[in-house]
Each structure stands twice: as structure tokens, then as C-alpha cells.
Amino acid sequence: MNKIQKLAVLSVLPVTAALTAFPAQAAERPTCPVPTKAEAERSSDTKIDKPPRGAAALKGVRVDHIPKGFTYGQVVVNKHDGITEYGYQWGDDRSDVDRKHRSLWVRVVCWPKASEPAQLKNAPFDLGTFSGATETVKIGGRQVLTQEGDGALGHGRYAGWVEREGVVVTVMASRPLVPELAKIIKGIKL
């Protein structure tokens, strides 16, 4: 083997090693972000974060666009019917009935049966069901199921999509935040 052939073989080795590592890395990545035991305990104890957490409020989820003006936040974990709901709620100190109240709820649901947005109408969520007049639209580069917020969720816009099979993301933005909903949705990364 001459010098050029040796250099060619040696230069290909790192690329080959990197390519063979991809399947292993993909297998190690969890299919759905799940809360830690500590987060589940914080949720059941209804602990409030003052000031609220930022972009990495949920382990395994990044929310790159969080509007300004929130004064508190809270982790919400719920496990039932074979699914895990893991979310974070940001809010301000205004009354929930005040139309200027600012709130944002981002939730990841590990639901093995989820594969397309239309299924969200029948999802076994405890809170935040798609039970009203829904429509499928493109928001923030994603195909989402959306509806007007109802009394239980507050005023604003509710949206949800299947990030990948078995992983659902929902977002509830209060009325003052609806103009930023596309930025919020686009900035969510799992």
C-alpha cells in the first residue's frame, strides 16, 4: 500500500466510525421525554417556581420562544390510562378571568397509539382535550390540530401535534400570546 492509499484509508476511518455510531445514538435517545421522580414529586406537591423556569423547564424538551411577563411557573405530571403527561405552565399574577392574563402551557404526552393529529380528538387526556370545534392548520412549520380555548383551559388558542409516533406535544397560549403562537410552536424541540 502506498502513502496515498494509507492516507485515504486513515481519512475514511473517522467517517466510518461516526456513521456506525448513529444507530447506537438513535437507540439511546428516549422516544418520549419523561419526567424524573423529583419532577413528579414537585407536581404532586404543587410547588411553584418564582421566578419561572426558562427554555429547559422540561427535561428533554426545549422551548426556545417564551414570551415575557411571566411571574411564576409549575411542572405538571400526570400518569393514567397507559400515558404520561409532562408539562410546564407559565403564568402571571393577573386573575384567570382577566382577558390580559398571560399564561402558556407546553405539554408532552407519551401516548404509544399516537401517529397523526386527527387522533388527538380521541386522546385520553385528563385536561386539555380536543373536544370543541377543531381544525387542522400549519402553524410554526408544523401540521397541528387547533381549537379555541374553552373554560377549563382558559381563553386563548390550544394546539397539538404528533412530533413522532407515540409522542404528542400540546400548547395552550392565552389570548394575549396568540399572536406569538407560531414562534412558540416553531421553537419547541424534543
Side-chain angles (χ1 to χ4, degrees):
M1 198 182 286
N2 66 31
K3 284 185 182 181
I4 294 175
Q5 289 172 324
K6 284 182 185 178
L7 287 174
V9 169
L10 291 175
S11 66
V12 172
L13 289 176
V15 173
T16 305
L19 289 175
T20 57
F22 281 129
Q25 290 170 348
E28 291 173 14
R29 185 178 67 190
T31 58
C32 190
V34 292
T36 64
K37 184 178 179 185
E39 294 288 39
E41 288 173 5
R42 283 183 63 75
S43 175
S44 67
D45 293 343
T46 61
K47 293 200 175 176
I48 304 281
D49 299 321
K50 282 194 172 200
R53 295 179 186 179
L58 297 168
K59 183 182 175 200
V61 179
R62 184 152 183 88
V63 183
D64 284 337
H65 182 77
I66 301 173
K68 304 280 185 222
F70 296 118
T71 56
Y72 67 90
Q74 181 179 15
V75 170
V76 179
V77 175
N78 192 9
K79 293 182 179 186
H80 60 90
D81 302 319
I83 68 171
T84 300
E85 300 179 48
Y86 179 34
Y88 197 82
Q89 297 173 323
W90 290 266
D92 69 13
D93 290 329
R94 289 184 181 96
S95 166
D96 289 348
V97 295
D98 185 339
R99 292 295 186 186
K100 293 181 181 178
H101 175 70
R102 298 170 66 81
S103 64
L104 175 64
W105 177 33
V106 175
R107 169 178 65 172
V108 176
V109 182
C110 301
W111 181 34
K113 294 180 182 177
S115 63
E116 60 185 44
Q119 289 177 292
L120 300 181
K121 293 178 187 178
N122 299 316
F125 305 150
D126 272 352
L127 292 173
T129 60
F130 287 91
S131 56
T134 62
E135 61 181 332
T136 302
V137 295
K138 195 164 191 167
I139 301 176
R142 292 184 162 103
Q143 204 62 23
V144 302
L145 189 67
T146 185
Q147 73 178 30
E148 192 66 28
D150 61 14
L153 295 177
H155 57 83
R157 199 88 193 138
Y158 182 49
W161 66 93
V162 177
E163 180 71 17
R164 56 183 170 262
E165 194 165 327
V167 183
V168 174
V169 179
T170 65
V171 175
M172 177 62 199
S174 63
R175 186 162 286 131
L177 304 180
V178 170
E180 298 182 64
L181 189 56
K183 286 183 185 175
I184 294 166
I185 289 173
K186 186 175 185 173
I188 296 175
K189 295 174 181 61
L190 277 62

